Amino acid sequence: MGVHKKKILFIIIKLLVTCLLFDSVTSATIKWRNGRTGNWDNPSNWNLDRTPRESDDVYISVNGNYTVFIDPISSDKFESIKVRSFNIGASSGNQTLNAAYPIYIMKEAIVYPNAMIQLDAPIYGEGKISVMGRMSLLGSFAYSVNISDVDIEEGGALDVIYLSSSSQSAASPSDFVSSNNNRADDVFGHPLAFGEISITIPSTRKADIPITYEEHQAYVHFVSREFYSLFGGCSSSPSTGYWMSPVSNQVIKEEVTVVSTSVTPTKQVKHTLRQIARWIAREMEQEAVFVKVNHVAYLVYAS
């Protein structure tokens, strides 16, 4: 073999070795660290003390009941979440990924029987999704599952939980009649809505077990996102709640957050409010959570 050919062969081998080394450095298996609810974007929630990268194999497989949020309110991202592969599901408990950002799957995604992914944005890529648990479409966005292969296996399910805002009917401004015949639109113009709804988010689990600030904020962000995607806007405010503990039979004082929005409380709106509140109660293992419709308080029970 001539010197020139040897030199070319050496360069090719060097390039191959460099590519392999680069792939071994950038590719990794990254795992959700604990069995508690939290945000995808928090590096401390992952075993490598960083968030997943495009070339990573992601595992959310710790036993327990918890939700991992990919949340636009708490994120600086303006791009899709990209990973090489994604696996969710443990041997016990219920694990949920709640994604409000598009997810790009390069290789494959597996949703095991105890797990669920809730999509408030498209999932796409060149890979395959195998659903042995549940894949749900939420909110009012135009959903898209644009991936080469989706396999809903035996025992798996694909469903839609929340109805889109386009299906909700609000009262027309002409339907509003003031009792004293003073027109509401004389000063401010036509009213945007004829009522208000709210959900009170506790800072405890199972009635009186404190949760972390991050967990509490994750639930607040979830409800806020649902409200502004369904109803066009919302506000949240900290408050203090008092109630009787069914366990200790004592008055419990805790910090809560009230998420509210102005909307005409049609039957469809009330139904959606109840679904969101019931989901919060189940996730937080509460017997019930407080909601208000036009300043009238109700308890929405988990079951």
Side-chain angles (χ1 to χ4, degrees):
M1 182 181 295
V3 175
H4 183 67
K5 289 184 178 180
K6 286 183 179 179
K7 188 175 181 179
I8 294 175
L9 181 60
F10 175 77
I11 293 173
I12 292 173
I13 293 173
K14 187 176 181 180
L15 287 172
L16 288 173
V17 171
T18 301
C19 289
L20 289 172
L21 287 174
F22 180 79
D23 185 67
S24 65
V25 170
T26 57
S27 299
T29 296
I30 185 168
K31 298 180 179 181
W32 188 255
R33 175 172 275 163
N34 51 62
R36 295 196 302 270
T37 291
N39 285 316
W40 177 288
D41 288 336
N42 187 342
S44 66
N45 285 328
W46 300 96
N47 67 320
L48 300 182
D49 292 314
R50 64 167 175 80
T51 56
R53 297 172 181 168
E54 184 174 344
S55 57
D56 287 342
D57 296 311
V58 179
Y59 287 83
I60 299 175
S61 54
V62 180
N63 290 334
N65 299 310
Y66 56 91
T67 299
V68 178
F69 289 95
I70 302 177
D71 196 335
I73 297 178
S74 62
S75 174
D76 294 327
K77 289 188 180 71
F78 293 95
E79 297 181 339
S80 301
I81 298 290
K82 295 182 179 181
V83 295
R84 195 171 84 98
S85 69
F86 175 79
N87 300 267
I88 181 169
S91 58
S92 65
N94 294 283
Q95 300 77 42
T96 301
L97 175 73
N98 189 285
Y101 262 102
I103 302 176
Y104 184 89
I105 305 294
M106 298 176 64
K107 185 181 177 182
E108 65 177 353
I110 302 177
V111 184
Y112 288 99
N114 289 339
M116 173 190 289
I117 56 174
Q118 296 176 329
L119 302 174
D120 209 352
I123 186 168
Y124 64 106
E126 302 173 1
K128 172 185 177 181
I129 302 178
S130 298
V131 181
M132 293 173 269
R134 184 174 294 274
M135 183 163 68
S136 299
L137 308 180
L138 307 179
S140 61
F141 291 96
Y143 293 105
S144 173
V145 179
N146 186 11
I147 201 160
S148 60
D149 189 5
V150 178
D151 185 10
I152 308 298
E153 300 189 12
E154 184 177 356
L158 173 66
D159 58 17
V160 177
I161 293 181
Y162 299 146
L163 298 172
S164 68
S165 57
S166 61
S167 67
Q168 296 169 359
S169 58
S172 166
S174 62
D175 294 336
F176 178 79
V177 179
S178 174
S179 59
N180 59 8
N181 206 32
N182 289 329
R183 293 182 58 192
D185 58 350
D186 281 348
V187 179
F188 300 106
H190 288 304
L192 296 176
F194 305 106
E196 184 178 55
I197 60 173
S198 68
I199 297 180
T200 298
I201 312 298
S203 58
T204 56
R205 185 181 300 279
K206 294 183 178 178
D208 56 4
I209 302 174
I211 61 176
T212 66
Y213 174 80
E214 182 191 31
E215 287 181 287
H216 178 73
Q217 287 302 307
Y219 290 119
V220 172
H221 292 158
F222 170 80
V223 174
S224 298
R225 191 187 71 244
E226 292 304 308
F227 273 23
Y228 76 64
S229 68
L230 288 165
F231 310 124
C234 69
S235 62
S236 63
S237 58
S239 186
T240 303
Y242 300 86
W243 43 75
M244 185 71 70
S245 169
V247 178
S248 62
N249 203 32
Q250 296 180 342
V251 175
I252 300 297
K253 173 186 175 181
E254 68 170 291
E255 301 305 312
V256 299
T257 299
V258 179
V259 182
S260 61
T261 188
S262 296
V263 64
T264 302
T266 63
K267 183 177 181 180
Q268 197 71 49
V269 168
K270 293 177 184 178
H271 178 72
T272 302
L273 176 66
R274 184 177 63 180
Q275 285 184 300
I276 298 173
R278 183 171 291 171
W279 185 88
I280 288 292
R282 289 172 179 170
E283 280 289 304
M284 302 189 75
E285 300 177 81
Q286 297 280 3
E287 182 182 6
V289 296
F290 288 100
V291 303
K292 281 188 177 181
V293 178
N294 286 348
H295 306 291
V296 178
Y298 300 90
L299 279 174
V300 176
Y301 289 89
S303 58

